[in-house]
């Protein structure tokens, strides 16, 4: 089901009920960009520690925005059957505020989403607004002071508002007090905006929504208007305006209150956008970010972490994308004729995904993600009980068998394999670093060293000193290959990096220590000579 601003408010109560009854919720997001190229050093690297990677992604999250958020709500109906309600929410930053919101578009990301049929018209024209707590606090203050602004960048929105203001201004010039007029054919999105704009522009009008896309406008005296504004029945009360301006943030708060397990795939960037767009701006502290996310969502499950570990015990082919993992788990080799195998059924209003694959559509990917979780958990449960599952497994049994993966979010190409949101990160376990000694080829840079080795295998490169470069790989076989072929290379000999031997800081310290020791020896010899003669 695709959801935009026009139908979101009506759907919210139903979403609340479904989330409260759910076993878990799966999530996926699409963005206007992934990794910012400003500065150039912000691209992910194998050299990154979790703190360094967090700070890099933080820069990107602050520049880009979420275009679409997919939510798949998995509810267990009976025995081993799960019914899925999957939604695509088109999002667009709230234009009710004090400052206009700016965000960046990445050409490659826009082209990528366009290739998979993303509807940018829905994103721009019918995107659900949202704001975080800091933006809401500022908006609330200006709302109380009457100094809020509506930032409409859409020509269609401006035309609607201009037409309404012109129509009401002409009418009010000749109307008597208490006379009314009806504005018709307004979208749900415009019903509140029109009332706010008219009330701010004209001090002698009153407005009320009539339902069915209509708004009643009445000419009133300033005194009568003041009485109406203080009424508890005013549809444009501050809390209702805030409710509208918060938009999707209301659903985010429902998710937070429900505390259901939140499932994703490679979900670090998803979690950072959730924090930044709907909760609070991302903190500078990596540990504070982890604590905040854990408080918001105490149970997080990253299916990438699960499937990575399963490859060691199951005959998984070399697949990496979510759709490929889903296809493997649905295949006959891993999906035997098990009567207890989880049955996953899409609800009738989301049946399109049962008929047609929609890769990189957020709602579809969220559905795949939750399905991968259930199938993976069932395989692990069978393995832990030696294939003797006797009754229909409950979701709590699946959570138990997944315990080691809970709150472990995959860390793509970095110093650790995963980030632990409920404690300290595990120590780094990766192949040893290599050091390249450049001999006879002066002036080589990191890019040239990378080009030299990329035909053999993939390494990240960092300059160590004028004629030395460090190579890092996440595969032991690549390290062995390079050591085999370049150990005795005439111009680029490669050896295993030893900190005490190759670190410029250690070398500098040893040199300084040597100098200090030499001066001490000289001082001792020279200072001791007179005492010998006495």
């Amino acid at each position: 089901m695709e959801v935009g601003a026009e139908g979101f408010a009506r759907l919210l109560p139903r979403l609340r009920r479904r989330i409260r009854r759910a076993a878990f919720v799966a999530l996926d997001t699409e963005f206007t960009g992934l990794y910012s190229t400003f500065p150039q050093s912000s691209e992910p690297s194998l050299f990154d520690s979790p703190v360094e990677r967090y700070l890099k992604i933080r820069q990107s999250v602050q520049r880009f925005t979420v275009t679409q958020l997919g939510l798949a709500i998995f509810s267990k109906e009976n025995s081993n059957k799960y019914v899925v309600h999957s939604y695509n929410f088109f999002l667009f930053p709230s234009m009710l505020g004090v400052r206009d919101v700016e965000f960046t578009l990445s050409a490659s990301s826009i082209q990528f989403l366009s290739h998979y049929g993303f509807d940018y018209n829905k994103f721009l024209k019918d995107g659900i607004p949202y704001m975080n707590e800091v933006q809401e606090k500022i908006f609330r203050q200006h709302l109380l002071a009457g100094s809020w602004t509506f930032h409409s960048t859409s020509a269609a929105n401006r035309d609607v508002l201009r037409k309404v203001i012109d129509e009401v201004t002409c009418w009010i010039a000749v109307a008597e007090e208490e006379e009314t007029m009806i504005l018709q054919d307004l979208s749900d999105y415009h019903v509140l905006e029109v009332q706010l704009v008219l009330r701010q522009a004209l001090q002698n009008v009153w407005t009320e929504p009539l339902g069915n896309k209509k708004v009643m406008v009445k000419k009133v005296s300033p005194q009568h208007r003041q009485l109406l504004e203080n009424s508890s029945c005013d549809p444009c009360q501050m809390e209702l305006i805030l409710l509208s301006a918060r938009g999707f943030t209301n659903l985010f708060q429902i998710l937070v209150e429900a505390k259901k397990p939140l499932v994703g795939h490679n979900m670090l960037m998803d979690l950072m956008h959730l924090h930044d767009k709907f909760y609070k701006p991302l903190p500078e502290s990596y540990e504070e970010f982890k604590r905040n996310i854990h408080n918001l969502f105490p149970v997080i499950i990253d299916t990438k972490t699960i499937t990575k570990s399963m490859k060691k015990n199951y005959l998984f082919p070399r697949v990496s994308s979510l759709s490929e993992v889903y296809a493997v788990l649905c295949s006959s080799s891993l999906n035997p004729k098990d009567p207890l195998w989880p049955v996953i059924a899409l609800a009738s209003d989301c049946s399109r995904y049962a008929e047609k694959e929609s890769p990189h559509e957020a709602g579809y990917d969220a559905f795949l993600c939750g399905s991968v979780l259930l199938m993976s958990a069932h395989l692990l449960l069978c393995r832990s009980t030696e294939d003797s599952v006797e009754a229909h497994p409950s979701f709590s049994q699946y959570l138990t068998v997944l315990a080691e993966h809970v709150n472990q979010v995959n860390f793509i190409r970095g110093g650790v394999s995963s980030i632990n949101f409920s404690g300290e990160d595990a120590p780094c376990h990766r192949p040893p670093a290599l050091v390249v000694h450049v001999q006879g080829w002066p002036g080589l840079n990191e890019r040239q060293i990378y080009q030299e080795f990329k035909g053999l295998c993939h390494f990240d490169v960092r300059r160590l000193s004028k004629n030395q470069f460090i190579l890092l790989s996440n595969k032991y076989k690549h390290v062995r290959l390079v050591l085999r072929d370049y150990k005795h290379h005439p111009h680029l000999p490669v050896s295993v990096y030893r900190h005490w031997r190759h670190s410029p800081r250690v070398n500098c310290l040893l040199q300084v220590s040597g100098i200090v020791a030499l001066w001490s020896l000289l001082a001792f010899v020279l200072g001791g000579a007179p005492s010998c003669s006495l």
Side-chain angles (χ1 to χ4, degrees):
M1 178 183 289
E2 293 188 343
V3 185
E6 186 167 341
F8 178 72
R10 291 195 306 272
L11 187 62
L12 196 58
R14 190 189 312 167
L15 288 166
R16 179 184 286 107
R17 290 193 298 271
R18 285 178 175 166
I19 289 171
R20 286 175 176 172
R21 293 197 302 263
F24 67 94
V25 176
L27 173 140
D28 182 71
T29 47
E30 303 295 339
F31 319 111
T32 58
L34 292 176
Y35 298 108
S36 175
T37 56
F38 302 100
Q40 193 170 7
S41 59
S42 66
E43 293 184 4
S45 164
L46 285 170
F47 291 94
D48 292 343
S49 68
V51 173
E52 291 168 331
R53 178 67 59 82
Y54 168 74
L55 293 175
K56 286 182 176 182
I57 299 179
R58 179 174 177 263
Q59 289 181 329
S60 297
V61 169
Q62 290 169 338
R63 292 177 65 87
F64 299 116
T65 195
V66 179
T67 58
Q68 190 182 65
L69 189 145
L71 210 61
I73 304 170
F74 283 73
S75 304
K76 189 169 186 181
E77 275 208 345
N78 52 58
S79 59
N80 60 337
K81 182 179 180 180
Y82 289 82
V83 174
V84 189
H85 291 86
S86 195
Y87 300 90
N88 267 317
F89 298 98
F90 289 91
L91 305 182
F92 197 82
S94 180
M95 293 184 291
L96 281 170
V98 181
R99 294 174 55 192
D100 202 357
V101 177
E102 296 179 356
F103 58 84
T104 302
L105 300 174
S106 160
S108 59
S109 294
I110 298 303
Q111 191 175 53
F112 175 83
L113 291 177
S114 296
H115 175 73
Y116 287 99
F118 183 80
D119 191 337
Y120 282 97
N121 281 325
K122 289 184 179 178
F123 161 60
L124 295 169
K125 295 181 179 180
D126 196 30
I128 305 164
Y130 58 85
M131 57 174 59
N132 61 35
E133 289 183 3
V134 173
Q135 294 167 325
E136 181 182 338
K137 182 179 179 181
I138 295 171
F139 180 48
R140 185 186 290 269
Q141 291 169 349
H142 284 264
L143 200 59
L144 285 168
S147 57
W148 63 275
T149 307
F150 178 71
H151 300 285
S152 180
T153 55
S154 162
N157 275 341
R158 289 198 299 269
D159 288 345
V160 169
L161 296 175
R162 189 181 297 114
K163 180 182 176 183
V164 165
I165 290 174
D166 290 345
E167 187 178 347
V168 173
T169 302
C170 293
W171 167 79
I172 206 166
V174 295
E176 299 289 336
E177 278 193 15
E178 300 302 315
E179 279 191 36
T180 62
M181 69 174 294
I182 306 298
L183 301 174
Q184 303 191 55
D185 298 325
L186 299 171
S187 69
D188 290 353
Y189 186 55
H190 286 130
V191 165
L192 177 64
E193 293 170 21
V194 162
Q195 293 183 82
L196 294 176
V197 170
L198 285 175
R199 290 191 188 188
Q200 191 178 49
L202 303 168
Q203 298 302 310
N204 58 342
V205 301
W206 184 249
T207 62
E208 289 183 14
L210 299 179
N212 200 24
K213 302 182 180 182
K214 297 178 182 178
V215 168
M216 182 272 289
V217 182
K218 179 188 287 188
K219 184 174 181 178
V220 296
S221 66
Q223 296 81 6
H224 189 193
R225 165 150 170 181
Q226 189 172 6
L227 289 173
L228 291 169
E229 283 177 342
N230 294 329
S231 167
S232 60
C233 300
D234 181 9
C236 291
Q237 282 181 338
M238 186 177 72
E239 291 304 322
L240 293 177
I241 295 172
L242 281 169
L243 189 71
S244 177
R246 278 197 299 260
F248 188 84
T249 307
N250 296 303
L251 181 55
F252 172 79
Q253 290 168 346
I254 291 171
L255 287 170
V256 170
E257 291 165 5
K259 293 289 185 282
K260 299 292 182 180
L262 187 68
V263 180
H265 188 82
N266 265 337
M267 62 190 303
L268 176 58
M269 190 170 285
D270 297 316
L271 293 172
M272 291 180 69
H273 272 285
L274 289 180
H275 190 298
D276 189 71
K277 303 301 186 289
F278 312 123
Y279 178 52
K280 293 178 181 178
L282 285 166
E284 291 187 14
S285 165
Y286 165 69
E287 293 297 335
E288 183 182 348
F289 161 70
K290 289 203 321 180
R291 286 194 300 272
N292 289 347
I293 289 294
H294 187 57
N295 289 333
L296 293 169
F297 303 107
V299 179
I300 295 171
I301 306 173
D302 189 335
T303 53
K304 181 67 174 181
T305 304
I306 298 170
T307 53
K308 271 171 63 176
S309 70
M310 288 179 66
K311 289 177 183 179
K312 302 173 185 177
N313 302 316
Y314 292 88
L315 298 176
F316 254 75
R318 294 179 61 84
V319 296
S320 57
S321 73
L322 178 61
S323 58
E324 289 173 330
V325 171
Y326 175 76
V328 168
L329 286 167
C330 291
S331 67
S332 56
S333 59
L334 284 176
N335 179 6
K337 299 299 181 181
D338 180 359
L340 303 179
W341 186 262
V343 176
I344 302 166
L346 282 155
S348 58
D349 53 357
C350 310
S351 59
R352 177 165 63 92
Y353 293 154
E355 301 159 1
K356 180 185 176 184
E357 295 181 356
S358 303
H360 302 292
E361 186 172 289
Y364 180 73
D365 284 353
F367 160 68
L368 294 188
C369 188
S371 302
V372 165
L373 174 81
L374 288 173
M375 292 186 284
S376 301
H378 190 81
L379 284 173
L380 290 171
L381 183 62
C382 291
R383 175 63 63 93
S384 68
T385 55
E386 298 181 353
D387 297 323
S388 60
V389 179
E390 297 178 356
H392 293 293
S394 64
F395 186 69
S396 61
Q397 285 179 279
Y398 286 157
L399 282 180
T400 300
V401 80
L402 292 169
E404 66 178 290
H405 306 295
V406 170
N407 294 326
Q408 305 295 319
V409 171
N410 187 52
F411 192 71
I412 304 173
R413 298 188 72 253
V416 296
S417 61
S418 62
I419 291 175
N420 182 5
F421 276 85
S422 54
E424 293 185 6
D425 296 330
C428 174
H429 295 290
R430 64 182 175 195
L434 302 179
V435 60
V436 182
H437 306 266
V438 180
Q439 298 174 355
W441 287 354
L444 289 186
N445 57 33
E446 292 177 355
R447 173 55 57 183
Q448 290 168 315
I449 293 292
Y450 173 81
Q451 292 295 332
E452 171 71 24
F453 289 97
K454 91 171 178 180
L456 185 64
C457 48
H458 183 72
F459 280 87
D460 281 2
V461 182
R462 179 175 290 181
R463 183 183 288 275
L464 181 64
S465 64
K466 182 180 179 181
N467 294 314
Q468 290 182 320
F469 296 85
I470 294 180
L471 305 181
L472 269 185
S473 174
N474 55 1
K475 296 185 183 297
Y476 282 91
K477 66 178 182 180
H478 290 175
V479 171
R480 290 193 294 269
L481 277 172
V482 168
L483 283 174
R484 183 195 69 191
D485 293 358
Y486 281 83
K487 188 172 184 178
H488 303 292
H489 194 280
H491 300 292
L492 298 173
V494 175
S495 61
V496 175
Y497 175 83
R498 306 293 183 194
H499 184 70
W500 59 269
R501 181 180 176 187
H502 298 117
S503 169
R505 291 182 180 179
V506 173
N507 286 333
C508 181
L509 182 62
L510 290 174
Q511 290 174 12
V512 171
S513 301
I515 293 170
V516 170
L518 180 60
W519 277 106
S520 299
L521 180 61
L522 286 171
F524 175 77
V525 171
L526 296 175
S531 63
C532 293
S533 60
L534 288 175

